[in-house]
């Protein structure tokens, strides 16, 4: 087993709760922290002390809440420059890397296309080159950085640091964490990209403060990440939230996974394109062409997108009926064609959610490549916790 975790920074429940709150919400007074965590002010002061001594927290200058309101309060704040975190997102044809601070603020970025050789060794070498490039830009980053998160689409065994299956050719059971850790000397965490970004959104984005939260990606693939009781669901067998492979139509098209009528087999960009080609006879059409055709009003092309929207809306409703999240964030490159399938997503969602589950709002959130790499860096921030 590859050791993917260094010792957490915090272990005691009070320390853990204080650091998590200050990371997500910014500076808070001890009184407010005590109220939120459910401890006395003295217990907060005691729990914060080691984190202040280690340089992770500091006190802001005193602020008096109102004239004559008694002792001035010194809010506690995270020292964002205390530690930095590297994040790398590997997609089918490119690689993006960022350095983030302790509150997931992006400090440096780089990106490059993958070469013709996309073997684990070649991509591993590109990851190490990008890491070195970012670290060489700022000596503080090199000095105060221990963790590197790598987000890859596909089946990832985070615990073992292995990519079991990915869209990249020849990637079968690749010990990626070990490969990169040997060359960089960093603590490397490898995670499925959708799970990583779900976790990042939960800690630092649209999901802050929620106990039950889901993120759905639409586009080349359809996937989701689920947070239940404040924790990302990994699944007993490493699979959870496979929204794209919920079968919604027994008479539907065959999916690449081997099943029939999966959401992805109807609603992925390649499925939409196949449908438009079949319906129009335009066999040489590419996806952009299909989008143009639909926007110009072609009924067959419009129906292919509408059908995809209904499949996605039904899939999200199934998810919401099953675990009742407070909020669902919809993201992915599929949002670029939201004008062609958004109405159908919302109609199908409304039609298939059960009773009060329909109170769960769908929030659209376009995320750039940088956000996906940031999601990988957040894996390192989370490694500070037990
Ligand atoms: Zn499938």
């Amino acid at each position: 087993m590859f050791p993917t975790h260094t010792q957490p920074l915090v272990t005691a429940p009070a320390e853990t709760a204080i650091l998590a709150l200050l990371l997500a919400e910014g500076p808070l007074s001890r009184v407010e922290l005590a109220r939120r965590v459910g401890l006395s002010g003295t217990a907060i002061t005691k729990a914060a002390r080691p984190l202040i001594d280690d340089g992770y927290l500091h006190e802001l200058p005193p602020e008096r809440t109102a004239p004559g309101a008694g002792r001035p309060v010194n809010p506690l704040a995270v020292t964002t420059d205390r530690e930095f975190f590297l994040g790398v997102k590997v997609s089918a044809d490119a690689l993006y890397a960022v350095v983030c601070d302790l509150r997931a603020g992006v400090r440096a970025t780089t990106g490059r296309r993958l070469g013709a050789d996309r073997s684990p060794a070649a991509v591993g070498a590109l990851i190490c080159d990008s890491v070195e490039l970012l670290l060489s830009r700022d000596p503080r980053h090199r000095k105060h950085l221990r963790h590197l998160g790598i987000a890859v689409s596909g089946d990832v065994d985070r615990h073992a640091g292995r990519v079991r299956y990915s869209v990249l050719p020849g990637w079968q059971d690749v010990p990626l964490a070990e490969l990169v850790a040997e060359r960089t000397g960093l603590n490397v965490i490898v995670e499925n990209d959708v799970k990583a970004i779900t976790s990042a959104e939960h800690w630092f984005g649209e999901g802050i403060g929620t106990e039950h939260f889901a993120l759905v990606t639409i586009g080349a693939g359809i996937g989701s990440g689920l947070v239940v009781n404040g924790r990302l669901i990994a699944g007993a067998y490493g699979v959870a939230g496979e929204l794209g492979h919920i079968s919604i139509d027994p008479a539907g098209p065959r999916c690449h996974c081997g099943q029939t009528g999966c959401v992805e087999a109807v609603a992925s960009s390649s499925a939409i394109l196949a449908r438009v080609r079949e319906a129009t006879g335009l066999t040489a059409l590419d996806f952009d062409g299909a989008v143009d055709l639909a926007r110009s009003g072609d009924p067959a092309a419009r129906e292919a997108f509408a059908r995809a929207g209904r499949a996605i809306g039904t899939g999200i409703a199934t998810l919401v009926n099953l675990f009742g999240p407070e909020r669902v964030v919809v993201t992915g490159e599929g949002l670029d064609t939201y004008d062609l399938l958004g109405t159908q997503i919302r109609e199908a969602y409304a039609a298939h959610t059960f009773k009060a589950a329909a109170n769960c709002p769908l929030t659209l959130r376009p995320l750039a490549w940088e956000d996906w790499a940031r999601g990988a860096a957040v894996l390192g921030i989370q490694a500070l916790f037990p």
Side-chain angles (χ1 to χ4, degrees):
M1 186 66 60
F2 179 73
T4 51
H5 297 285
T6 53
Q7 287 298 311
L9 171 69
V10 286
T11 46
E15 266 181 77
T16 304
I18 290 172
L19 185 60
L21 263 178
L22 293 173
L23 279 179
E25 299 190 19
L28 293 168
S29 71
R30 285 186 173 81
V31 175
E32 178 65 7
L33 280 167
R35 191 183 68 77
R36 298 281 294 277
V37 178
L39 291 169
S40 69
T42 316
I44 295 294
T45 298
K46 189 172 169 233
R49 180 45 55 196
L51 289 168
I52 294 172
D53 291 346
D54 279 352
Y56 281 87
L57 301 182
H58 63 276
E59 288 185 341
L60 292 175
E63 53 182 44
R64 231 178 249 284
T65 44
R71 275 199 306 149
V73 292
N74 297 71
L76 282 172
V78 169
T79 310
T80 50
D81 284 5
R82 174 62 182 83
E83 187 169 347
F84 298 98
F85 303 85
L86 266 160
V88 175
K89 152 81 175 166
V90 181
S91 75
D93 54 5
L95 180 154
Y96 307 105
V98 299
V99 172
C100 285
D101 63 31
L102 200 45
R103 287 197 68 210
V106 174
R107 298 298 188 92
T109 67
T110 184
R112 58 172 70 185
R113 312 299 296 174
L114 299 184
D117 182 359
R118 294 175 185 183
S119 66
V123 174
L126 282 180
I127 292 172
C128 296
D129 289 351
S130 301
V131 165
E132 186 47 40
L133 179 73
L134 286 177
L135 292 183
S136 66
R137 283 194 197 157
D138 189 332
R140 290 177 312 157
H141 294 167
R142 193 185 295 281
K143 191 167 174 218
H144 299 289
L145 194 145
R146 302 177 284 160
H147 297 285
L148 162 62
I150 305 176
V152 187
S153 66
D155 183 354
V156 176
D157 184 343
R158 175 179 178 160
H159 192 60
R162 300 176 88 91
V163 179
R164 289 191 291 225
Y165 166 80
S166 121
V167 289
L168 292 160
W171 283 55
Q172 295 282 343
D173 201 28
V174 177
L176 187 62
E178 192 174 358
L179 201 80
V180 176
E182 268 171 8
R183 285 195 44 190
T184 59
L186 295 168
N187 173 47
V188 181
I189 305 152
V190 182
E191 177 63 288
N192 165 273
D193 56 350
V194 177
K195 286 197 173 95
I197 196 130
T198 301
S199 220
E201 280 295 299
H202 181 230
W203 280 44
F204 297 105
E206 292 287 336
I208 287 180
T210 59
E211 281 288 297
H212 307 285
F213 169 73
L215 177 139
V216 170
T217 59
I218 61 174
I222 314 283
S224 73
L226 311 178
V227 171
V228 176
N229 290 327
R231 313 281 299 193
L232 182 77
I233 299 296
Y237 303 101
V239 172
E242 282 297 343
L243 174 67
H245 301 284
I246 294 176
S247 184
I248 52 161
D249 181 5
R254 189 104 176 139
C255 182
H256 64 84
C257 76
Q259 300 186 75
T260 302
C262 295
V263 173
E264 194 163 297
V266 176
S268 71
S269 32
S270 59
I272 295 172
L273 175 59
R275 183 75 173 181
V276 175
R277 282 177 176 170
E278 187 191 322
T280 61
L282 300 167
T283 49
L285 204 66
D286 63 7
F287 187 72
D288 290 342
V291 172
D292 291 343
L293 202 58
R295 286 193 178 135
S296 72
D298 180 273
R302 290 191 74 80
E303 176 50 26
F305 280 93
R307 184 172 176 245
R310 289 192 292 272
I312 293 167
T314 306
I316 299 175
T318 305
L319 195 88
V320 167
N321 288 345
L322 280 175
F323 89 105
E326 287 165 63
R327 190 173 309 154
V328 174
V329 165
V330 183
T331 188
E333 71 278 10
L335 288 185
D336 296 345
T337 56
Y338 200 76
D339 57 314
L340 296 172
L341 43 69
T343 304
Q344 289 77 12
I345 290 178
R346 291 191 181 276
E347 284 174 359
Y349 177 68
H352 297 292
T353 38
F354 180 71
K355 308 293 182 191
N359 290 335
C360 169
L362 302 184
T363 307
L364 305 186
R365 175 119 156 92
L367 292 167
W369 65 261
E370 189 180 290
D371 297 302
W372 288 83
R374 176 178 175 263
V378 169
L379 297 168
I381 300 175
Q382 293 170 335
L384 301 177
F385 289 80

